[in-house]
């Protein structure tokens, strides 16, 4: 499975690390170059804190993209892990939907904003869901999955 993570901060790097440890190829995007550059060291440090000795195989599964199209093209699932700002999340999902494969699942990591509010502007809302990863995601193996329920005329 090909995974994309949008956001390389605390939650994004932890989600990427978790998916890579599970054997998935992960592409991470963040608009901040410093966050992208720091990602390998953050993952290495987190793996060390977890007592994981085999760091290189995990790091080999994680790549970085400077832009959303490069991250989500060919993805099976996209996790958005941006700050809890509704206009930002909506803008990110507009860009993701324009380039992600139609069959890709689009997931927002949110704990306070209703997933239907984040995704209400998408043309294909039937593939949207919420994922509330506990913090830090790579150390607490718990994810609340929030499905969306659109009326049949709203889900295109």
């Amino acid at each position: 499975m090909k995974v994309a993570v949008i956001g390389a901060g605390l939650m994004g790097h932890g989600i990427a690390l978790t998916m890579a440890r599970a054997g998935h190829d992960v592409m991470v995007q963040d608009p901040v170059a410093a966050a992208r550059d720091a990602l390998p060291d953050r993952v290495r440090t987190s793996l060390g804190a977890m007592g994981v000795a085999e760091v290189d195989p995990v790091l080999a599964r994680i790549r970085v993209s400077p832009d959303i199209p490069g991250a989500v093209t060919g993805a099976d699932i996209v996790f958005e892990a941006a700050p809890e700002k509704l206009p930002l999340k909506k803008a990110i999902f507009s860009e993701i939907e324009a380039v992600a494969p139609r069959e890709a699942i689009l997931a927002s990591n949110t704990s306070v904003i209703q997933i239907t509010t984040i995704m209400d502007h998408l043309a294909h809302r039937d593939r949207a869901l919420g994922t509330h990863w506990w913090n830090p995601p790579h150390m607490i193996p718990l994810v609340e999955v929030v499905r969306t329920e659109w009326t049949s005329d709203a889900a295109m």
Side-chain angles (χ1 to χ4, degrees):
M1 178 168 65
K2 184 176 176 186
V3 176
V5 178
I6 309 304
L10 176 63
M11 297 306 288
H13 105 277
I15 294 168
L17 181 161
T18 301
M19 299 307 278
R21 280 194 74 203
H24 304 294
D25 292 325
V26 181
M27 183 68 79
V28 179
Q29 186 276 335
D30 195 287
V32 179
R36 295 190 308 266
D37 294 343
L39 184 65
D41 287 337
R42 290 189 80 177
V43 169
R44 188 181 317 279
T45 298
S46 293
L47 288 169
M50 296 169 65
V52 175
E54 295 294 319
V55 173
D56 290 338
V58 175
L59 283 172
R61 289 187 200 92
I62 300 173
R63 293 179 297 137
V64 177
S65 173
D67 57 37
I68 287 176
V72 305
T73 299
D76 297 301
I77 186 166
V78 180
F79 292 100
E80 166 271 317
E84 294 284 336
K85 297 177 182 178
L86 181 59
L88 175 62
K89 288 182 180 282
K90 285 176 116 29
I92 289 170
F93 277 107
S94 290
E95 189 171 352
I96 290 170
E97 185 176 42
V99 293
R102 169 61 181 103
E103 63 277 0
I105 296 169
L106 307 183
S108 178
N109 181 54
T110 184
S111 59
V112 296
I113 305 172
Q114 288 185 354
I115 192 63
T116 52
T117 303
I118 295 170
M119 306 284 199
D120 65 359
H121 67 293
L122 299 182
H124 301 286
R125 297 179 294 215
D126 57 311
R127 61 188 178 154
L129 58 89
T131 55
H132 176 208
W133 295 70
W134 263 238
N135 187 7
H138 52 285
M139 297 189 84
I140 301 176
L142 185 59
V143 180
E144 174 186 25
V145 177
V146 181
R147 70 181 182 163
T148 56
E149 293 188 25
W150 308 98
T151 60
S152 59
D153 61 327
M156 300 184 177

